[in-house]
Amino acid sequence: MTDHEPGTEGADAVTFVNTFTVHAEPEVFEKEFARTSEFMAQQPGFVRHTLCRHAERPGQYVNVAEWRDLASFRAAVSHDGFRPHAGALRALSESRPELYLVRLRREGAPGLDGPASEGEEI
């Protein structure tokens, strides 16, 4: 994919950014998050997500999820099957969810050291 300007391909796309302060063991949170990830990946309109742990503060995480459109995201988080996942994550952390509209996307040139392949744990 190359540069995209506002109003072009994916104009309805939304990005969900959720920061977490975890008060459980990081491995416990990551395992529970992986279950939530599996559920969300099955929802219509889900594109991808990346969960990152802070490089210096292991109790801090950020999840960046891409959705085809706002309606798909809202349907996923309203789904009855999502409630147990949300409750489990709330029991392990405090979060600050934010929803953003995509304005520009750029990826590295082919052949350069780039991101890990989809689904690869780093």
Side-chain angles (χ1 to χ4, degrees):
M1 194 179 312
T2 57
D3 299 349
H4 291 279
E5 295 192 21
T8 62
E9 179 186 329
D12 294 335
V14 294
T15 300
F16 177 67
V17 179
N18 200 355
T19 56
F20 295 92
T21 301
V22 176
H23 41 269
E25 290 297 318
E27 297 77 21
V28 173
F29 174 78
E30 290 176 19
K31 189 178 229 181
E32 190 59 48
F33 195 93
R35 285 191 275 275
T36 303
S37 173
E38 290 174 17
F39 171 81
M40 295 307 257
Q42 300 303 312
Q43 303 309 303
F46 176 85
V47 177
R48 73 178 63 86
H49 85 86
T50 303
L51 177 68
C52 301
R53 186 168 72 182
H54 194 284
E56 297 174 346
R57 294 188 304 269
Q60 297 288 318
Y61 288 80
V62 63
N63 178 53
V64 179
E66 297 177 37
W67 289 83
R68 182 182 62 223
D69 54 51
L70 182 58
S72 296
F73 170 77
R74 294 212 188 278
V77 298
S78 298
H79 190 287
D80 287 341
F82 178 66
R83 289 183 190 145
H85 295 287
L89 291 173
R90 275 198 285 285
L92 301 171
S93 64
E94 295 176 13
S95 68
R96 194 177 122 225
E98 303 282 349
L99 201 55
Y100 295 87
L101 300 174
V102 175
R103 306 310 301 156
L104 176 70
R105 176 177 291 134
R106 181 175 315 203
E107 295 186 14
L112 299 179
D113 289 342
S117 63
E118 286 190 42
E120 179 180 337
E121 291 186 11
I122 301 172

